[in-house]
Amino acid sequence: MNLVLFGPPGVGKGTQGERFSSENSINHLAMGDILRAAVRDATKAGQQARTYMDSGKLVPDGVVVSMIEDRIVKDNTTGFLLDGFPRNVAQAISLDDMLAHHHLTLDKVVFMDAPEEDLLERLSGRLICRACGFGFHRHYSPPREAGRCDRCDGELYQREDDREEVIANRLHVYRDQTEPLLAYYKGRPGFIRLDASGEMQAVYTALKEAVRD
Ligand code: AP5
């Protein structure tokens, strides 16, 4: 099974995408995580991406398209869930071209949405483990011990782009550049619109049911 999850920052793509991929034994290809790893490892792509990410802008298409193609080709034996790619219409066209080139297809495209006040609350309370990358939320999924990861005891931190002023810019970029993907994908077989405003388990149940239908 090959899927795309798209939607605004903080809607829960990472939370739901990771669980769905792990339970279905498919690869979770999260563009933001791939970019953050490149920044951490100071690769050439990471160096190019850093300033865009810190200010909440999209990294140039040329950088992200080749990074994701490498991962899709390398990891396509069991299927994949793309989280955070494509993020504009040009990237969606590149994705269609690369899938056709590698004789792959998309089975489902899931658009997740929630009211802006929920997005702001989710992003501003998010905590990430520095060691394993697992995500928590101060109120909705707090760690057992403050500041430490339940899974690996790593240190929890707030993402640089989860500061209030950067969140505002990410939401603006989303409305301007990513929302037009809705028109691109809406009429396709396998397109799903998912209300992601409920609590995590309810959203996950709805996602599983929608993908199964
Ligand atoms: P990326 O890391 O992909 O950020 P994003 O799309 O802005 O999405 P987030 O990771 O912030 O949110 P999410 O929807 O995954 O929510 P999550 O599950 O964590 O990208 C970062 C940057 O990289 C971009 O700004 C850009 O610069 C660059 N980039 C990435 N892809 C690119 C591309 N294709 N092209 C160009 N540039 C690109 O949930 C958020 C919080 O809410 C968590 O704390 C979670 O615990 C909590 N939560 C989740 N669901 C619920 C719920 N139902 N109820 C209550 N709390 C919830």
Side-chain angles (χ1 to χ4, degrees), residues 7-16 30-33 35-36 49 52-54 56-61 64 83-88 91 112 118 121-123 125-128 135-138 140-141 159 161-162 170 196-201 203:
V11 75
K13 302 180 294 295
T15 304
Q16 303 297 343
M31 194 70 235
D33 291 346
L35 285 164
R36 278 183 289 279
Y52 294 96
M53 296 176 77
D54 283 351
K57 291 185 188 146
L58 294 190
V59 175
D61 293 345
V64 292
D83 154 6
F85 184 92
R87 212 176 276 245
N88 60 29
Q91 292 181 12
M112 299 173 67
D118 293 359
E121 221 180 323
R122 291 179 189 181
L123 289 171
R126 173 166 54 189
L127 296 167
I128 310 275
F136 296 86
H137 190 280
R138 283 196 176 91
Y140 302 125
S141 55
R159 261 167 54 175
D161 60 351
D162 280 347
R170 286 163 65 199
S197 61
E199 56 93 23
M200 287 178 216
Q201 179 57 46
V203 175

Side-chain angles (χ1 to χ4, degrees), residues 82-155:
L82 287 173
D83 154 6
F85 184 92
R87 212 176 276 245
N88 60 29
V89 171
Q91 292 181 12
I93 293 169
S94 297
L95 176 63
D96 283 342
D97 290 347
M98 84 175 75
L99 293 178
H101 181 73
H102 296 291
H103 309 290
L104 296 167
T105 49
L106 280 181
D107 301 298
K108 303 282 176 188
V109 176
V110 183
F111 169 60
M112 299 173 67
D113 204 9
E116 192 154 311
E117 68 212 56
D118 293 359
L119 305 176
L120 292 170
E121 221 180 323
R122 291 179 189 181
L123 289 171
S124 56
R126 173 166 54 189
L127 296 167
I128 310 275
C129 175
R130 219 177 266 292
C132 72
F134 194 69
F136 296 86
H137 190 280
R138 283 196 176 91
H139 310 299
Y140 302 125
S141 55
R144 281 192 295 270
E145 187 189 338
R148 308 302 313 180
C149 176
D150 292 359
R151 289 191 168 181
C152 73
D153 201 38
E155 181 201 2

